[in-house]
């Protein structure tokens, strides 16, 4: 789309301002996480599983609309053979069991509740601990790879940019009260890959232009590198955003939650690869230059 456009924006001119803004966003995100917390789904908290058989033809969207009347629209709903459904939802107290039963029978004539089970969380404490260990090892691997392939400072900047993106995404989810489910985890992992790829493209161009750092200076080299990769960044972001927006608007409750995480990740991932990663590298070399 912008293949023949040459950009010359002074991105690093306002790097300190954008770094301060990013720090403020991170602090606010931590504030939301510590004060409001996250709206964890039944995958993390456990709850009730209803096995239901409808006498009339029903679709997942119809059942979700029904449950939304009693504020249970975030339930995980699965349809299988002969009009049977599995409905998995959080149940902080036993009154939810009766509310769901009454609402289903009121909206769908001839509804039969085959079974109700109380279940534990799919994502238990041990699995969460292992996931955090895996994430820490992945970030360490990224740092080592970028230190070996580029420079150690580039690796630190890339890891901090990923930390920035995921922290702000969690803060926004806490602020909006959106549900954290297994699909959200999948979205976060996808966004980490997307953001890291964008950052590596920028860092690779900085590495290629590093030969001019003595004559042009660090700021000009980073500015030129970001502008040279900006066409690729814009084209990638736009072509990714279009289907994500379509999923957000027309994908239904579950897919929309995944798409919302993806949308936030694309926006902040693109921003961080320029202003966070690039700004950190610029400031680091300005304050502690190396031969």
């Amino acid at each position: 789309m912008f293949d023949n456009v040459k950009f010359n924006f002074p991105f690093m001119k306002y790097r300190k301002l954008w770094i301060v803004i990013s720090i403020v966003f991170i602090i606010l995100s931590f504030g939301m996480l510590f004060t409001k917390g996250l709206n964890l789904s039944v995958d993390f908290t456990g709850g009730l599983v209803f096995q239901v058989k409808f006498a009339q033809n029903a679709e997942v969207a119809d059942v979700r609309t029904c449950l939304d009347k009693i504020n249970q629209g975030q339930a995980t709903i699965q349809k299988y053979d002969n009009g049977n459904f599995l409905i998995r939802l959080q149940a902080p107290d036993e009154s939810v069991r009766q509310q769901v039963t009454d609402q289903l029978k009121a909206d769908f004539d001839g509804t039969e509740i085959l079974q109700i089970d109380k279940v534990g969380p799919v994502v238990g404490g041990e699995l969460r601990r292992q996931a955090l260990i895996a994430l820490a090892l992945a970030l360490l691997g990224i740092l080592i790879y970028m230190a070996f392939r580029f420079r150690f400072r580039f690796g630190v900047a890339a890891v901090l940019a990923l930390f920035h993106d995921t922290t702000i995404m969690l803060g926004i989810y806490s602020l909006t009260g959106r549900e954290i489910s297994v699909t959200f985890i999948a979205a976060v992992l996808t966004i980490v890959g997307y953001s890291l790829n964008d950052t590596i493209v920028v860092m690779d161009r900085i590495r290629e232009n590093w030969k001019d750092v003595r004559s042009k200076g660090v700021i000009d080299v980073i500015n030129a590198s970001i502008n040279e990769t900006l066409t690729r960044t814009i084209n990638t972001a736009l072509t990714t955003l279009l289907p994500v927006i379509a999923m957000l608007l027309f994908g239904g409750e579950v897919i929309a939650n995944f798409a919302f995480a993806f949308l936030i990740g694309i926006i902040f991932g693109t921003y961080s690869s320029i202003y966070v990663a690039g700004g950190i590298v610029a400031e680091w070399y300005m304050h502690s230059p190396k031969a």
Side-chain angles (χ1 to χ4, degrees):
M1 185 180 295
F2 296 95
D3 290 344
N4 298 320
V5 180
K6 301 296 181 182
F7 297 101
N8 189 27
F9 296 116
F11 289 106
M12 293 297 101
K13 182 177 180 180
Y14 304 104
R15 65 189 182 280
K16 293 182 180 179
L17 172 63
W18 289 111
I19 288 175
V20 169
I21 291 174
S22 292
I23 292 173
V24 170
F25 272 124
I26 290 173
I27 293 173
L28 291 175
S29 296
F30 273 116
M32 291 301 303
L33 291 172
F34 283 118
T35 56
K36 188 178 179 181
L38 295 169
N39 179 22
L40 299 177
S41 73
V42 66
D43 297 323
F44 293 89
T45 62
L48 295 176
V49 174
F50 290 75
Q51 185 178 356
V52 184
K53 183 173 183 179
F54 295 109
Q56 54 185 288
N57 186 33
E59 299 298 332
V60 171
D62 301 325
V63 178
R64 192 175 302 282
T65 300
C66 168
L67 295 177
D68 199 42
K69 297 176 182 177
I70 53 173
N71 299 319
Q72 295 294 335
Q74 293 287 347
T76 302
I77 305 171
Q78 180 183 357
K79 182 179 181 180
Y80 59 103
D81 60 337
N82 299 324
N84 291 357
F85 281 78
L86 282 178
I87 302 172
R88 186 183 179 98
L89 48 82
Q90 288 177 291
D93 54 64
E94 286 299 314
S95 64
V96 174
R97 182 194 301 256
Q98 194 59 47
Q99 289 176 7
V100 172
T101 301
D102 293 342
Q103 192 64 51
L104 289 173
K105 290 183 176 180
D107 284 18
F108 301 97
D109 293 334
T111 296
E112 184 181 355
I113 307 297
L114 301 178
Q115 189 173 344
I116 303 176
D117 293 319
K118 190 170 185 177
V119 297
V122 173
V123 184
E126 179 65 18
L127 185 56
R128 275 177 278 181
R129 188 183 68 83
Q130 292 175 353
L132 289 175
I133 293 174
L135 179 60
L137 291 175
L139 292 176
L140 179 62
I142 292 168
L143 182 60
I144 294 172
Y145 166 75
M146 293 198 69
F148 176 77
R149 181 67 177 82
F150 304 105
R151 293 167 181 264
F152 174 74
R153 301 188 186 195
F154 291 8
V156 173
V159 170
L160 289 176
L162 291 179
F163 174 78
H164 164 275
D165 298 343
T166 53
T167 301
I168 292 178
M169 185 187 298
L170 288 172
I172 292 174
Y173 261 70
S174 176
L175 176 65
T176 58
R178 282 182 172 267
E179 190 176 60
I180 301 293
S181 63
V182 173
T183 57
F184 171 81
I185 303 302
V188 170
L189 294 175
T190 306
I191 288 304
V192 165
Y194 177 93
S195 178
L196 180 62
N197 180 65
D198 206 23
T199 302
I200 286 177
V201 169
V202 174
M203 293 300 174
D204 189 47
R205 187 55 58 90
I206 294 174
R207 179 188 60 82
E208 291 175 358
N209 294 333
W210 200 255
K211 61 184 183 297
D212 300 323
V213 73
R214 289 182 178 273
S215 59
K216 295 182 178 180
V218 172
I219 300 301
D220 286 344
V221 166
I222 294 176
N223 261 332
S225 302
I226 294 174
N227 278 288
E228 288 170 10
T229 57
L230 194 58
T231 296
R232 180 261 180 203
T233 299
I234 293 174
N235 288 338
T236 303
L238 286 179
T239 52
T240 311
L241 275 174
L242 292 176
V244 168
I245 292 173
M247 287 193 296
L248 182 63
L249 296 177
F250 309 111
E253 189 78 28
V254 176
I255 296 179
N257 201 39
F258 174 87
F260 181 76
F262 217 148
L263 179 65
I264 298 301
I266 291 171
I267 293 172
F268 281 97
T270 303
Y271 158 80
S272 68
S273 65
I274 296 174
Y275 284 110
V276 177
I280 289 172
V281 170
E283 283 297 305
W284 200 340
Y285 276 100
M286 289 291 289
H287 287 83
S288 180
K290 291 176 66 177

